[in-house]
């Protein structure tokens, strides 16, 4: 697709609104996964991505071509995520800025196809676990205290569930690696 001419651009020299929306929607899953690699929960990802999309629209004049959209957008999302984490620090313990920067660097290097492949492998591998084991695997991401709630509902201690969770995560990681290896060959 050709880059729009200057007269095709929207207000303030930006790409037309429809073109921006098309690019944003196309890359939203990769941006959402990138943000989640930095942020502790999906609600914060939603809020941060919304804030980042406004900034992207405001700074769209900096984008030179369609192919550069995802790397450019990841930089904006990264700064919005790190800003959101700074706000969280005031309320509770979070990972250090240096650790978050390392995570962001690694996640930023991944392209959209890698995110899709990982998400598909995760979905496929989760189906291989029993419903109670799937629930336990997802519990830490469902909110504070979910593992404790599961322990209270069952007959195992919280400590025993965390040990089981560790073993289940190892099996899940192994399955995901097995699903991804054929694609990387």
């Amino acid at each position: 697709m050709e880059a729009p001419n200057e007269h095709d651009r929207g207000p303030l020299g930006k790409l037309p609104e429809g073109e921006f929306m098309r690019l944003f929607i196309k890359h939203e899953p990769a941006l959402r996964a990138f943000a989640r690699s930095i942020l502790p929960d999906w609600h914060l990802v939603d809020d941060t991505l919304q804030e980042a999309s406004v900034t992207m629209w405001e700074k769209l004049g900096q984008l030179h071509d369609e192919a550069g959209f995802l790397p450019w957008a990841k930089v904006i999302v990264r700064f919005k995520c790190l800003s959101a984490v700074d706000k969280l620090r005031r309320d509770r313990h979070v990972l250090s800025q240096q650790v978050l920067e390392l995570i962001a660097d690694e996640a930023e290097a991944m392209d959209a196809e890698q995110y899709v492949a990982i998400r598909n492998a995760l979905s496929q591998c989760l189906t291989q676990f029993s419903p109670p084991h799937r629930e336990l695997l997802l519990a830490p991401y469902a909110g504070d205290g979910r593992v404790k709630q599961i322990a209270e509902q069952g007959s195992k201690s919280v400590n025993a569930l965390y040990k089981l969770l560790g073993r289940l995560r190892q099996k899940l990681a192994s399955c995901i690696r097995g699903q991804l290896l054929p694609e990387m060959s």
Side-chain angles (χ1 to χ4, degrees):
M1 179 176 159
E2 292 181 43
N5 294 330
E6 236 6 81
H7 67 276
D8 292 337
R9 292 183 177 259
L12 305 175
K14 298 177 187 174
L15 291 172
E17 184 175 329
E19 185 64 14
F20 169 74
M21 289 305 299
R22 184 187 70 74
L23 289 169
F24 182 79
I25 290 169
K26 175 182 176 184
H27 296 291
E28 184 180 10
L31 293 172
R32 185 169 295 284
F34 174 62
R36 183 60 176 98
S37 71
I38 301 169
L39 298 172
D41 67 61
W42 286 108
H43 297 293
L44 195 54
V45 168
D46 291 340
D47 293 345
T48 303
L49 207 55
Q50 183 176 2
E51 190 178 320
S53 69
V54 171
T55 301
M56 286 177 217
W57 176 247
E58 291 169 349
K59 296 182 178 247
L60 196 55
Q62 298 174 352
L63 183 62
H64 299 294
D65 61 18
E66 181 179 332
F69 182 86
L70 185 59
W72 171 80
K74 279 183 175 180
V75 170
I76 293 171
V77 170
R78 176 186 187 139
F79 282 110
K80 293 295 181 182
C81 288
L82 294 175
S83 175
V85 169
D86 283 341
K87 291 176 189 171
L88 283 177
R89 276 199 180 91
R90 292 180 221 135
D91 298 333
R92 59 183 172 177
H93 299 291
V94 294
L95 296 173
S96 73
Q97 184 76 15
Q98 185 178 14
V99 170
L100 289 171
E101 291 278 346
L102 290 171
I103 292 169
D105 288 343
E106 187 174 316
E108 196 170 337
M110 295 176 66
D111 62 23
E113 290 80 23
Q114 288 173 305
Y115 283 115
V116 170
I118 291 169
R119 187 175 62 220
N120 290 341
L122 173 62
S123 294
Q124 177 64 32
C125 289
L126 280 173
T127 65
Q128 298 176 16
F129 289 89
S130 67
H133 283 171
R134 271 196 308 270
E135 181 182 12
L136 183 58
L137 279 164
L138 298 173
Y141 310 101
D144 291 335
R146 184 66 186 127
V147 174
K148 185 177 177 184
Q149 290 173 358
I150 293 172
E152 290 170 357
Q153 294 168 356
S155 60
K156 293 189 178 187
S157 70
V158 173
N159 192 33
L161 281 182
Y162 274 111
K163 288 180 181 179
L164 174 58
L165 179 59
R167 290 190 302 272
L168 292 173
R169 283 179 169 169
Q170 287 176 340
K171 288 180 183 178
L172 180 61
S174 177
C175 177
I176 290 170
R177 279 192 297 275
Q179 292 278 329
L180 293 175
L181 284 177
E183 291 183 18
M184 299 175 129
S185 309

